């Protein structure tokens, strides 16, 4: 499928094409280049994509964006990073459908993926979203540049760890609908408190298109702060949550077979019953935001409900994997991608609902600044409430939690993921339920990968 021609790329970036070519994809990672891709040779502080041009074309690249002449089909520009932004803006400008932006301290990627599944069910083949967690100053314009001109829906995740970052990203995305999933003490090392985090997340509303909709968590203590941030930019403000005061809320819910939830929801002027495949109250709340967004862009709520029922587990964000253990199987709940205090509590609640012995492999939470010790120690309550039988605490920052759990929960404190894997494999037994959760830098995904390799294909 043609995504861009060399002439279109040159016009968008202000560059000069060495020859005519067309591309079907865009990437700046030479390891990800496939046949027909455009390779953006970005220059960073420690690396330069121009060194990998031969590799990229050896893997099938159809063209490149460069800041120095190259012996391959290319667009010559003054600054390749600026060219990436320009290509993202051009992709957004040529798309005439509806765009949704998603941010929040937790649940961004899961909400984005579920929204994409719902919109793709409504308009098969015409929904686009950012892949992985490409939500920063290079990931967002890359995700935009990959959007086909024919897309009818675009869903983009936007992250930040400093004030001002979302304001820049949202003006690239220019969403018709902007969602804040939740406010929690993530990246506290860069902020004075949760109020400052709420203000930074509220920057997403600054990029709303005229007539746009802001979707805000009703149950958040920072709801009014977010509403105030949205009012100057949003034509419509919709709240969502589990509580009945929200515009989109749960009327009734019960646990469904397989760990999900059967929900009857009020979606402003509509009532909808559906099964949510993903377990946990945090997913119930996120589902309300998803329905609010689908309604805001004129989508079919019934089809969205079907998509939520069929949503599979997301790697690193709730995937459920049965792995061999002794003469039977154990359940692994893969939440290894990232962690903050709010997401730790939410996933421990999911573990609490599982039958059998409960094992929690918990990696340290990073970027919490001077509050780190207190936030780690405060996890002792959720760990006990989840009736965890055995905890494996990973990383130096977990020391306050280890101290708080002493004599109350059976645990071991280890320095790294490799040791955590050894300890887990030594005790894993049939019928166990294992939660693996921690900040991405702890690399607990390697623990999950090792266990998954044991599972039958």
């Amino acid at each position: 499928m043609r995504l861009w021609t060399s002439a279109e790329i040159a016009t968008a970036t202000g560059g000069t094409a060495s020859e005519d070519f067309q591309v079907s994809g865009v990437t700046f990672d030479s390891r990800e280049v496939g046949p027909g891709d455009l390779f953006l040779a970005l220059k960073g502080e420690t690396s330069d994509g121009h060194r990998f041009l031969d590799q990229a074309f050896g893997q099938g690249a159809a063209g490149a964006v460069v800041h120095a002449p190259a012996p391959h089909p290319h667009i010559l520009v003054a600054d390749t990073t600026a060219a990436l932004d320009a290509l993202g803006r051009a992709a957004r400008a040529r798309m005439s459908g509806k765009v949704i932006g998603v941010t929040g301290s937790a649940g961004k990627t899961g909400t984005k993926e579920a929204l994409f599944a719902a919109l793709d069910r409504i308009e098969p083949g015409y929904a686009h979203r950012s892949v992985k967690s490409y939500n920063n100053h290079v990931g967002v314009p890359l995700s935009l540049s990959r959007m086909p001109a024919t897309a009818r829906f675009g869903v983009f995740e936007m992250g930040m760890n400093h004030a001002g970052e979302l304001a820049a990203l949202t003006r690239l995305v220019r969403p018709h609908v902007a969602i804040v999933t939740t406010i929690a003490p993530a990246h506290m090392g860069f902020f004075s408190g949760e109020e400052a985090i709420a203000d930074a997340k509220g920057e997403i509303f600054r990029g709303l298109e005229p007539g746009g909709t802001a979707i805000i968590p009703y149950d958040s203590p920072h709801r009014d702060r977010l509403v105030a941030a949205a009012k100057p930019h949003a034509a419509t403000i919709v709240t969502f949550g589990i509580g009945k005061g929200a515009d989109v809320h749960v009327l009734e819910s019960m646990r469904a077979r397989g760990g999900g939830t059967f929900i009857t929801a009020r979606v402003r002027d509509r009532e909808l019953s559906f099964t949510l495949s993903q377990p946990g109250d945090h997913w119930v709340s996120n589902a309300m935001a998803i329905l609010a967004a689908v309604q805001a862009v004129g989508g079919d709520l019934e089809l969205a409900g079907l998509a939520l029922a069929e949503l599979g587990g997301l790697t690193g964000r709730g995937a459920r994997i049965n792995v061999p253990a002794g003469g039977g199987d154990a359940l692994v709940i893969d939440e290894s991608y990232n962690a903050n205090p709010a997401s730790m509590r939410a996933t421990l609640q999911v573990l609490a609902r599982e039958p059998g012995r409960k094992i929690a492999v918990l990696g340290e939470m990073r970027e919490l600044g001077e509050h780190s010790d207190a936030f780690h120690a405060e996890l002792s309550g959720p760990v006990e409430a989840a009736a965890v039988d055995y905890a494996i605490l990973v990383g130096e920052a977990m020391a306050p939690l280890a101290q708080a759990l002493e004599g109350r929960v059976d645990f071991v404190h280890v320095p790294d993921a490799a040791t955590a894997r050894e300890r887990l494999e030594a005790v894993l037994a049939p019928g166990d339920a294992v939660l693996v959760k921690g900040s991405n830098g702890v690399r607990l995904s390697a623990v999950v990968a090792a266990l998954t390799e044991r599972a039958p294909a």
Side-chain angles (χ1 to χ4, degrees):
M1 181 186 71
R2 190 193 80 181
L3 183 64
W4 296 98
T5 66
S6 53
E8 290 167 340
I9 299 166
T11 298
T13 62
T16 303
S18 65
E19 58 187 89
D20 290 337
F21 60 86
Q22 63 182 34
V23 300
S24 55
V26 182
T27 186
F28 54 65
D29 187 336
S30 60
R31 297 166 297 183
E32 295 182 357
V33 173
D37 280 348
L38 175 71
F39 175 59
L40 286 130
L42 301 186
K43 182 175 174 57
E45 293 181 3
T46 59
S47 64
D48 187 344
H50 292 74
R51 292 168 45 207
F52 304 101
L53 283 169
D54 289 343
Q55 176 187 332
F57 280 91
Q59 293 170 201
V65 176
V66 297
H67 66 244
H72 301 286
H74 65 268
I75 307 295
L76 182 63
V77 298
D79 183 326
T80 52
T81 300
L84 174 58
D85 278 356
L87 194 60
R89 281 192 294 270
R92 176 65 184 87
R94 71 180 184 175
M95 186 265 202
S96 59
K98 297 293 186 180
V99 172
I100 301 171
V102 182
T103 194
S105 301
K108 294 186 294 295
T109 302
T111 298
K112 177 258 297 181
E113 290 294 327
L115 255 175
F116 169 77
L119 296 170
D120 191 58
R121 185 67 181 261
I122 294 164
E123 291 280 1
Y126 288 94
H128 173 81
R129 93 289 205 189
S130 47
V131 299
K132 300 181 181 179
S133 289
Y134 283 177
N135 61 21
N136 63 5
H137 66 289
V138 291
V140 169
L142 176 68
S143 297
L144 282 166
S145 69
R146 291 172 166 176
M147 181 167 58
T150 55
R152 296 173 188 168
F153 297 111
V155 188
F156 298 93
E157 176 182 342
M158 289 177 271
M160 62 88 205
N161 53 22
H162 292 85
E165 291 175 342
L166 264 179
L169 295 179
T170 192
R171 289 184 177 119
L172 279 175
V173 173
R174 293 193 289 115
H176 298 91
V177 177
I179 302 171
V180 176
T181 58
T182 188
I183 302 297
H187 311 299
M188 280 289 284
F190 306 116
F191 293 95
S192 59
E194 280 194 25
E195 292 82 1
I197 293 173
D199 291 341
K201 295 295 185 186
E203 292 174 11
I204 192 173
F205 304 127
R206 298 182 190 177
L208 275 170
E209 288 287 88
T213 300
I215 298 178
I216 289 170
Y218 180 85
D219 302 318
S220 170
H222 307 290
R223 176 191 65 213
D224 293 344
R225 201 176 191 95
L226 291 170
V227 168
K231 277 186 175 178
H233 311 285
T236 305
I237 296 175
V238 179
T239 59
F240 72 92
I242 296 177
K244 291 189 177 180
D247 297 316
V248 181
H249 64 267
V250 176
L251 293 173
E252 295 180 327
S253 67
M254 65 179 68
R255 188 177 180 187
R257 184 175 299 176
T261 308
F262 180 76
I263 302 169
T264 299
R266 169 68 63 182
V267 187
R268 304 186 75 185
D269 58 345
R270 296 280 306 280
E271 192 171 304
L272 178 71
S273 294
F274 65 100
T275 298
L276 172 65
S277 64
Q278 304 299 305
D281 289 344
H282 59 301
W283 262 106
V284 173
S285 179
N286 290 343
M288 299 302 102
I290 291 161
L291 294 177
V294 169
Q295 188 181 62
V297 297
D300 187 310
L301 289 174
E302 284 74 17
L303 289 178
L306 288 174
L308 291 173
E310 297 169 356
L311 190 66
L314 306 176
T315 301
R317 297 176 176 84
R320 299 162 76 85
I321 310 158
N322 288 314
V323 302
D329 289 340
L331 170 68
V332 175
I333 303 170
D334 178 14
E335 287 279 356
S336 60
Y337 181 76
N338 221 334
N340 60 48
S343 63
M344 279 284 200
R345 288 193 297 270
T347 50
L348 282 164
Q349 289 173 1
V350 171
L351 178 64
R353 298 176 181 174
E354 298 299 329
R357 185 174 64 151
K358 298 171 181 59
I359 300 175
V361 182
L362 305 178
E364 63 187 21
M365 303 175 292
R366 297 184 174 177
E367 296 185 355
L368 295 178
E370 63 183 16
H371 308 282
S372 178
D373 286 355
F375 282 128
H376 282 88
E378 287 168 3
L379 289 179
S380 61
V383 169
E384 287 190 89
V388 170
D389 297 290
Y390 184 58
I392 301 174
L393 310 180
V394 189
E396 182 180 352
M398 275 293 184
L401 177 57
Q403 185 176 0
L405 291 177
E406 191 71 48
R408 297 159 65 182
V409 173
D410 188 15
F411 74 91
V412 63
H413 185 197
V414 301
D416 52 43
T419 311
R421 171 188 168 183
E422 293 172 0
R423 293 299 183 100
L424 177 60
E425 291 183 332
V427 302
L428 195 63
D432 286 348
V434 183
L435 169 66
V436 182
K437 179 77 171 172
S439 284
N440 197 32
V442 185
R443 302 192 182 281
L444 291 183
S445 58
V447 175
V448 176
L451 293 171
T452 303
E453 288 173 2
R454 299 165 39 165

